[in-house]
């Protein structure tokens, strides 16, 4: 090949790469609905495969780097992503918001720069609109590692857990507590997976009406700890009453939510096969009693473990 020819080819490659990197992020996972129903169901099956075979996906992320940009603290999301990426040959790069120049510069500029270094960005933010800004200015996929409105990686992992325990996601899911980010993503995942979901919250803390409306007949919302609803449940799920960013409201919330604690007496009303789930971190004696958290019905550790398996499936889907 003449040197002139290879110079033209290099130029064409650089131009194509520039165009690719200038496009808004082509795909990503900001909410459960950002993948098709078929893809979501496939990710659950792949998550199970990752769980059962520790060698599965080995080398799938060779040469790929993934940035984790976190405005909030994390144990499970950070560890499960970092280990999952490394186990598949990729390079995870954790970026704490406060000790980086995200605090100095416009979000759009910093995220565009990160897109030049990394193949995918996992972001944990206070406000969902920050994720939309990231998606607009990144040229690589953005994955929501939790925001105020959604926690889709948690819901995907929870469906892997339910599928593993029950052999199907076609279950009756009762969520008791705050109609928050975890609840929203669980409602969306339930609609995709053919699960029925009922949600019991204080009247002022119901899930967002638009999310409930979008879920149609799959979801019902109530405000009383109704014995009939508890007897109906295969899974009883709760989350913290004080999400990250709501610390100043903690005292009022603790009082408002206390009647909604998942205690031994609640679990005693549920069918004997029912399991207890919590995304963690849990607050013993608040949203759940210690007795329930430590009971044989509690599958919280499987749930936490499955974050890694489900997210490996997601990463392979988005990166290969
Ligand atoms: N469930 C969950 O996202 O936990 P972390 O906040 O510890 O990541
Ligand atoms: N609703 C909680 C979930 C933590 C994983 C929060 O946003 O803090």
């Amino acid at each position: 090949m003449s040197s002139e020819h290879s110079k033209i080819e290099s130029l064409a490659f650089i131009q194509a790469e520039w165009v690719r990197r200038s496009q808004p992020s082509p795909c990503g996972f900001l909410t459960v609905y950002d993948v098709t129903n078929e893809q979501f169901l496939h990710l659950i099956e792949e998550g199970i495969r990752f769980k059962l075979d520790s060698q599965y996906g080995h080398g799938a992320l060779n040469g790929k780097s993934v940035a984790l940009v976190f405005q909030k603290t994390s144990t499970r999301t950070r560890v499960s992503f970092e280990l999952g990426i490394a186990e598949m040959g990729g390079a995870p790069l954790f970026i704490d918001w406060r000790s980086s120049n995200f605090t100095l510069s416009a979000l759009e500029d910093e995220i565009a720069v990160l897109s030049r270094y990394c193949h995918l960005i996992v972001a944990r933010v206070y406000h969902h609109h920050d994720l939309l800004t990231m998606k607009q200015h990144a040229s690589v996929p953005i994955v929501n590692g939790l925001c105020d409105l959604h926690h889709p990686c948690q819901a995907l992992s929870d469906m892997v857990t339910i599928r593993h325990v029950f052999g199907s996601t076609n279950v009756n899911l009762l969520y008791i507590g705050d109609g928050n980010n975890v609840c929203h993503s669980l409602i969306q995942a339930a609609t995709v997976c053919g699960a029925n979901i009922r949600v019991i919250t204080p009247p002022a803390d119901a899930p967002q009406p638009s999310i409930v409306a979008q879920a149609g007949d799959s979801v019902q919302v109530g405000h009383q700890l109704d014995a009939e609803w508890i007897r109906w449940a295969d899974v009883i799920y709760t989350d913290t009453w004080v999400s990250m960013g709501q610390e100043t409201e903690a005292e009022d919330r603790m009082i408002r939510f206390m009647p909604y604690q998942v205690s031994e007496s609640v679990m005693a009303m549920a069918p004997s096969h029912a399991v207890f789930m919590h995304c963690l971190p849990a607050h013993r004696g608040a949203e759940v009693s210690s007795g329930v958290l430590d009971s044989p019905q509690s599958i919280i550790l499987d749930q936490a473990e499955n974050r890694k398996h489900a997210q490996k499936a997601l990463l392979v889907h988005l990166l290969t």
Side-chain angles (χ1 to χ4, degrees):
M1 196 190 293
S2 74
S3 70
E4 199 49 36
H5 189 109
S6 71
K7 227 187 278 174
I8 292 169
E9 278 210 333
S10 309
L11 195 63
F13 174 79
I14 290 166
Q15 279 172 342
E17 185 65 1
W18 185 84
V19 169
R20 186 184 73 76
R21 287 174 179 265
S22 309
Q23 303 299 316
S25 171
C27 54
F29 192 58
L30 300 194
T31 78
V32 166
Y33 292 158
D34 281 356
V35 292
T36 65
N37 291 2
E38 291 70 26
Q39 285 168 340
F40 194 82
L41 297 173
H42 177 69
L43 290 175
I44 294 170
E45 295 311 314
E46 286 295 287
I48 297 279
R49 215 166 154 187
F50 274 106
K51 184 177 174 71
L52 299 180
D53 178 0
S54 61
Q55 295 306 305
Y56 188 57
H58 189 77
L61 297 194
N62 279 348
K64 307 279 187 194
S65 52
V66 177
L68 288 100
V69 182
F70 279 38
Q71 293 178 345
K72 300 175 178 176
T73 54
S74 167
T75 303
R76 281 142 289 271
T77 307
R78 175 179 177 175
V79 173
S80 56
F81 265 111
E82 286 200 33
L83 290 179
I85 293 159
E87 284 171 10
M88 293 192 290
L93 183 72
F94 182 76
I95 301 166
D96 172 47
W97 189 267
R98 279 148 301 190
S99 57
S100 72
N101 281 346
F102 274 91
T103 51
L104 298 183
S105 179
L107 177 56
E108 38 273 54
D109 294 337
E110 293 300 275
I111 216 73
V113 169
L114 265 194
S115 298
R116 294 291 180 107
Y117 296 129
C118 301
H119 298 88
L120 184 144
I121 298 167
V122 180
R124 169 168 283 202
V125 298
Y126 281 96
H127 303 295
H128 186 75
H129 62 73
D130 276 353
L131 292 171
L132 298 175
T133 304
M134 289 183 183
K135 187 175 159 70
Q136 181 69 28
H137 295 274
S139 53
V140 297
I142 304 287
V143 170
N144 183 352
L146 180 146
C147 67
D148 53 342
L149 297 181
H150 300 275
H151 198 359
C153 295
Q154 182 69 53
L156 173 63
S157 312
D158 292 342
M159 286 302 166
V160 169
T161 305
I162 289 170
R163 159 79 176 78
H164 188 242
V165 170
F166 290 94
S168 155
T169 54
N170 196 357
V171 297
N172 291 339
L173 190 45
L174 177 61
Y175 179 97
I176 302 173
D178 189 14
N180 60 12
N181 46 7
V182 168
C183 177
H184 289 161
S185 290
L186 211 52
I187 291 172
Q188 293 191 333
T191 64
V192 172
C193 292
N196 303 300
I197 183 164
R198 293 182 181 176
V199 177
I200 302 176
T201 70
D205 303 281
Q208 283 203 346
S210 59
I211 288 184
V212 174
Q214 228 176 348
D217 292 341
S218 313
V219 65
Q220 289 181 63
V221 179
H223 303 296
Q224 302 291 334
L225 265 189
D226 184 307
E228 196 208 316
W229 280 27
I230 296 169
R231 280 196 294 271
W232 165 91
D234 300 310
V235 177
I236 296 188
Y237 196 123
T238 191
D239 180 23
T240 182
W241 295 336
V242 186
S243 284
M244 289 178 270
Q246 297 177 325
E247 291 77 5
T248 56
E249 303 167 33
E251 210 171 309
D252 287 350
R253 287 183 154 265
M254 294 300 277
I255 295 165
R256 190 158 81 237
F257 279 89
M258 209 57 217
Y260 297 85
Q261 184 188 73
V262 179
S263 61
E264 284 92 329
S265 59
V266 169
M267 290 306 290
M269 282 189 261
S272 55
H273 71 262
V275 296
F276 170 75
M277 294 179 73
H278 191 310
C279 60
L280 304 181
H283 304 80
R284 289 172 181 264
E287 72 270 9
V288 58
S289 67
S290 274
V292 170
L293 211 52
D294 299 331
S295 71
Q297 283 167 291
S298 168
I299 57 169
I300 53 172
L301 295 181
D302 291 314
Q303 240 186 300
E305 178 198 314
N306 293 340
R307 293 292 303 275
K308 188 177 75 171
H309 308 308
Q311 288 159 191
K312 279 173 136 178
L314 178 68
L315 289 163
V316 168
H317 168 71
L318 293 173
L319 280 173
T320 61

